[in-house]
Structures are given as C-alpha cells and as structure tokens.
Amino acid sequence: MSKKSVREIALKLLNQVGESGGFSHILINQAISNNDLSNQDKGLLTEIVYGTLQRKLTLEYYLNPFVKKRTKPWVKWLLYMSIYQMVYLERVPDHAVINESVTIAKKRGGKGTSGFVNGVLRNVQRQGVPKTDEVKDPIEKIAVETSHPYWLVKRWVNMYGESITRDMCESNLDSKKISIRVQPLKNSVEKVEKILEEEGIETNRSELSQQGLNILSGNPLHSQLFPNEITIQDETSMLVSEMVDAQPGMMVLDACSAPGGKTTHLAEKMRNDGVIFAYDLHDKKVKLVKEKAEQLDLTIINSSSQDSRHLHEVHEEGMFDRILLDAPCSGLGVLRSKPDIKYHKSENDIYDLAKIQRELLESVFPLLKSNGTLVYSTCTVDRHENEEQIKSFLDEHPELKVDSTFFEQLPESCQSLDGISDYGIQIFPQDFNADGFFLTRLVKV
C-alpha cells in the first residue's frame, strides 16, 4: 500500500470532521500517531486542517463563483483546502497545490473529477478570489470575513455590540498561545523558568496565575519537566482555580472535574492538604483526572464517576467549604483550538445546555457550608449560559449572593475589562489571547 501524502491525510480528516462530526483535535492527534510524518509534515497537516476549518465559510464564499454544480463532499473539501493554501499559505506555491490536488482528485474520483478540480483551481489562480466589499449587511460581512455562522454573529452583536463581536471573531482565527502551570510543591516558578530557558523554551509570566507561564517559543511537551512538574493549561482556565481560593485543610467539591486541570490546580493551591471530591459523568474521563493527579503526586483527590445533578444523594448538606462548578457549556470561548464547534452548534444547544447548568447549580449549592463559596465557570461567551444564568439563579435563591470580594481579588489585568458585570466577569478570547471564560463566585449567607 502506497504511503499517503500529507494533503491526502488532511483531506480525509476534513471530510470526517465536516461530514461525520468528528473532533478535529482528536483526529489530528490520531493521524500523527498512525502515520510516519516528519516534524515539517506534522506542522503542515495541522495547519491545513485547522486553517481550512477555521476559514470554512470564507472559503465557501471564495469558491461559490467558480462552482455552478453540486459536488461530492470530499471534492468540496479538497477545493476548500486547496484555496486555503493558495490564499493563506505564502510558502506553498500555487502550482504545487494545484498539481497535488489534481493528483488526489484523479486517484479518488477519476479523470472527470481531476479535470473539474483542475479547471476550478486554475480559474481561482487566474481571477483571484472575490472581495467581500459587495457584502453590505454588517453582520453578514463579519460572518463571511471571519467564518462564523450568521446566527452566532447576530447573537453576539445583540449581546456585545459590533466592535467587541468583530474583535472576538477575528481573535478566534488566531493561533492560541500555549501556557503551562508549575507544580509548586515540586518546583518554584523561577527554577522552572531557568530549566526551560536551558532547554531553549522561552517564557513570560502569566498575568492571571502566579503558577502560570506563557510559552513564547519552543515546545514544553519536549521538556524534562513534562508531565510531572508542569501541566499544559490555558491561563484563563488557571484563573478559575485561583478564584476558588481553596486553602489547606478544606473540604472541596469539583463537580465537573475532567480532564483534571482545575482539580489538580486546586490540590496544589491546598498544598496537598485537605480533601477534594472530584466527579465526572464518564469513567473514561475520570481516569484522566486520576492519571493527572498521579503524575503530579497529588493524593487528596477522590475521583469517581457520578452525575453531579444527583450529588445530594451522595453528600450531606453543608459539607463543603468550596465548590467548583465548571459547567458543561456550548464551548464558544474555545473556537481557536476547536474550530469545528462553531459549525456544529445551534441556538437550541445553548438553551438545552443552560437547563443542565441550572440543574447542576440546584443540585450542588445545598452542599455548601454557611459562608462557603461556590465558583461557577464556563468556557463560553454566551450571556444566557453566564450572566443571565446567574441572575436567574440568584433571583430564586436569596440565601446566595455574588461574593463582593471576588471582584477585589481578580488580578489587576482583569479589573478594567469590558466583560465585568454585577454577576461576574466575562473574559473574551481577545483579552489575553487565550480561551474565552466566564466566572463568578457566590457566597452562602
């Protein structure tokens, strides 16, 4: 069997994600494991797949004038990825892209398909892609130029205005920076900085966590410190555990804990002293939490599978000093690393998830001690799942209120952000070139 080229592998993945709903990040990792690729080819594969998915709606707009008939899904994805390379990858010559695309088309679809692909791409090369000046509707213009569904752009414009929405959509096209969290019971941040520097990995300090470092160059996965002394974690995700303010000796609940980044961060903040009950719905995901805790030598985490909507059947009321509910959500804050989400989600999904979030809130808050605090967080940017969810919940539960000290304890870099409201803080992806997150802290009075 002949070895598949990078572009053949890319086409297979794009067709899987686009037509069967596969997850791009999982499929890319599997493809890299299953194929003997050089580092350069791994980079090109990732670039083509993520880039084509990120820009899918823009590529569709570019392709429309050149294709007048229905095409098979794989042919459409082949044309998308080819135009992506021709428009966005300067280091790849157009003729090389066209030649290989025609070869793939002939191999998969025969001479007729290869002739069609060749004709379309030669026309694109000659005429250039259409400009977006003709799009007059400002919402549609943002949608086309940044490849976000029209309904989603319209929803965000209604919530946040055109300027913040455009900034967010453009930011979602940028590659996300990598951040790491230092295990402080094993090493100091200063010492880790030096070791990484010696390994050729350049860093700077996170503005959101004292344990956090942002990677400026180099790959921390290749460091001697990974995975036992450093954890790959987005810095906005780190902020969540920082704001839980868990102290040594406390009894803590992490209601939706997988894959374990925040759970292990809580254990580190507690200096591995106290008890954390960490739950998730699926055994497979609970296993990830356990593995992470073992890697970091954290022994206070009790992890098991459980539907956290029924935790009142497992724990007594008033048992926990701190509760973290990092709720399942639409994930619209993490579109940089999971671009396929924006094409597969609908408004109905948002409302269905909001119901689950409410059920989780109703289930876990009675487990909080008097004067205990509950941090609610999501990795989305939708008000219905965030501020509106918290407002509605508090209206029904006067025994809870937003903890005023939460806002005082936020890092200085968060104090003047657009997303601060009476109900918490919405961090947008453009704020720190990181994941979008909402978080708030409630206190039981």
Side-chain angles (χ1 to χ4, degrees):
M1 193 170 74
S2 61
K3 184 181 172 184
K4 279 193 166 71
S5 71
V6 174
R7 289 174 176 84
E8 283 180 286
I9 298 168
L11 175 59
K12 183 184 175 186
L13 299 187
L14 286 166
N15 200 45
Q16 276 181 274
V17 174
E19 305 307 317
S20 308
F23 295 111
S24 54
H25 59 295
I26 294 172
L27 291 172
I28 286 173
N29 288 339
Q30 286 174 351
I32 287 172
S33 298
N34 296 339
N35 292 276
D36 182 22
L37 299 174
S38 67
N39 285 335
Q40 188 177 354
D41 282 348
K42 287 175 189 173
L44 182 60
L45 175 68
T46 304
E47 173 71 60
I48 291 174
V49 174
Y50 273 137
T52 303
L53 287 171
Q54 289 281 31
R55 308 254 182 194
K56 178 196 162 196
L57 299 180
T58 311
L59 297 168
E60 196 174 275
Y61 177 82
Y62 289 162
L63 184 61
N64 278 342
F66 300 98
V67 176
K68 304 301 181 192
K69 64 175 186 177
R70 282 180 67 86
T71 59
K72 290 180 179 176
W74 73 264
V75 176
K76 176 187 69 177
W77 283 106
L78 177 60
L79 291 169
Y80 286 162
M81 67 179 250
S82 303
I83 294 173
Y84 173 75
Q85 294 168 82
M86 291 165 73
V87 174
Y88 297 105
L89 298 188
E90 292 178 5
R91 66 185 182 277
V92 183
D94 285 0
H95 66 84
V97 174
I98 295 170
N99 288 343
E100 182 152 8
S101 298
V102 170
T103 301
I104 292 170
K106 190 171 185 181
K107 197 171 170 182
R108 283 194 62 161
K111 197 171 179 182
T113 306
S114 69
F116 169 73
V117 167
N118 184 55
V120 170
L121 295 179
R122 295 285 176 201
N123 281 337
V124 172
Q125 186 185 28
R126 275 194 300 272
Q127 298 174 35
V129 294
K131 300 195 182 309
T132 56
D133 301 349
E134 296 169 20
V135 182
K136 301 306 178 192
D137 175 356
I139 291 174
E140 187 182 352
K141 195 173 176 68
I142 294 172
V144 168
E145 289 179 346
T146 67
S147 190
H148 285 69
Y150 184 91
W151 72 265
L152 185 58
V153 176
K154 184 178 180 182
R155 188 174 175 88
W156 285 347
V157 168
N158 288 337
M159 288 178 178
Y160 303 117
E162 206 174 301
S163 177
I164 286 177
T165 298
R166 178 169 276 283
D167 287 349
M168 177 157 53
C169 290
E170 288 176 350
S171 172
N172 284 338
L173 297 174
D174 296 336
S175 56
K176 194 180 85 167
K177 69 168 184 265
I178 297 172
S179 302
I180 60 169
R181 190 186 82 234
V182 175
Q183 211 298 31
L185 307 181
K186 291 187 169 190
N187 235 327
S188 67
V189 173
E190 291 79 11
K191 192 172 177 188
V192 167
E193 281 178 309
K194 284 178 185 171
I195 293 169
L196 292 174
E197 189 179 356
E198 287 164 7
E199 293 176 331
I201 300 170
E202 189 185 357
T203 63
N204 66 12
R205 296 283 180 99
S206 167
E207 296 179 79
L208 303 181
S209 171
Q210 292 181 338
Q211 291 173 236
L213 293 170
N214 299 316
I215 306 299
L216 303 178
S217 66
N219 188 344
L221 294 175
H222 299 156
S223 170
Q224 62 183 296
L225 301 173
F226 180 80
N228 303 113
E229 295 177 55
I230 59 173
T231 297
I232 308 291
Q233 187 179 13
D234 195 86
E235 62 175 338
T236 45
S237 175
M238 290 183 222
L239 178 61
V240 174
S241 299
E242 293 284 352
M243 298 311 294
V244 172
D245 194 28
Q247 302 295 323
M250 281 185 170
M251 184 76 75
V252 176
L253 168 65
D254 187 349
C256 303
S257 62
K262 297 180 188 70
T263 317
T264 50
H265 192 184
L266 290 172
E268 290 166 359
K269 300 298 289 183
M270 294 165 69
R271 305 196 65 76
N272 205 34
D273 175 12
V275 180
I276 298 175
F277 284 93
Y279 295 106
D280 212 273
L281 198 52
H282 305 289
D283 288 332
K284 200 172 175 182
K285 289 188 173 182
V286 170
K287 190 180 174 190
L288 296 175
V289 181
K290 290 179 176 175
E291 283 172 1
K292 195 68 212 159
E294 284 170 16
Q295 286 169 349
L296 296 168
D297 292 327
L298 297 166
T299 56
I300 65 168
I301 298 167
N302 297 287
S303 191
S304 60
S305 59
Q306 179 74 37
D307 184 337
S308 289
R309 288 174 290 187
H310 305 297
L311 284 181
H312 59 280
E313 299 167 11
V314 180
H315 295 291
E316 293 178 13
E317 287 193 10
M319 180 174 170
F320 293 101
D321 300 286
R322 300 283 187 268
I323 295 176
L324 170 59
L325 175 55
D326 184 44
C329 69
S330 58
L332 296 171
V334 297
L335 297 184
R336 288 180 188 186
S337 49
K338 298 177 182 176
D340 26 300
I341 288 175
K342 61 187 173 183
Y343 310 120
H344 296 156
K345 285 281 185 255
S346 69
E347 284 194 278
N348 285 339
D349 292 329
I350 291 169
Y351 293 106
D352 290 343
L353 285 159
K355 288 175 191 168
I356 295 169
Q357 292 156 3
R358 173 54 65 89
E359 289 168 4
L360 285 162
L361 280 164
E362 296 286 356
S363 170
V364 301
F365 96 87
L367 307 179
L368 197 60
K369 286 181 181 176
S370 184
N371 294 318
T373 55
L374 181 158
V375 166
Y376 173 85
S377 65
T378 70
C379 59
T380 192
V381 290
D382 195 277
R383 277 193 174 145
H384 188 69
E385 299 176 79
N386 297 337
E387 294 98 327
E388 291 171 15
Q389 179 73 271
I390 295 302
K391 180 183 185 304
S392 168
F393 180 66
L394 293 180
D395 285 346
E396 291 183 20
H397 296 287
E399 65 271 43
L400 290 166
K401 66 177 184 178
V402 176
D403 183 0
S404 59
T405 63
F406 166 79
F407 298 102
E408 296 161 15
Q409 288 178 15
L410 283 170
E412 193 178 332
S413 54
C414 293
Q415 297 287 347
S416 57
L417 292 179
D418 293 323
I420 288 187
S421 71
D422 291 341
Y423 297 100
I425 180 170
Q426 176 67 68
I427 296 174
F428 296 106
Q430 64 267 33
D431 289 334
F432 297 101
N433 185 25
D435 287 342
F437 253 91
F438 173 83
L439 58 152
T440 191
R441 190 167 72 205
L442 310 179
V443 61
K444 197 172 192 179
V445 291

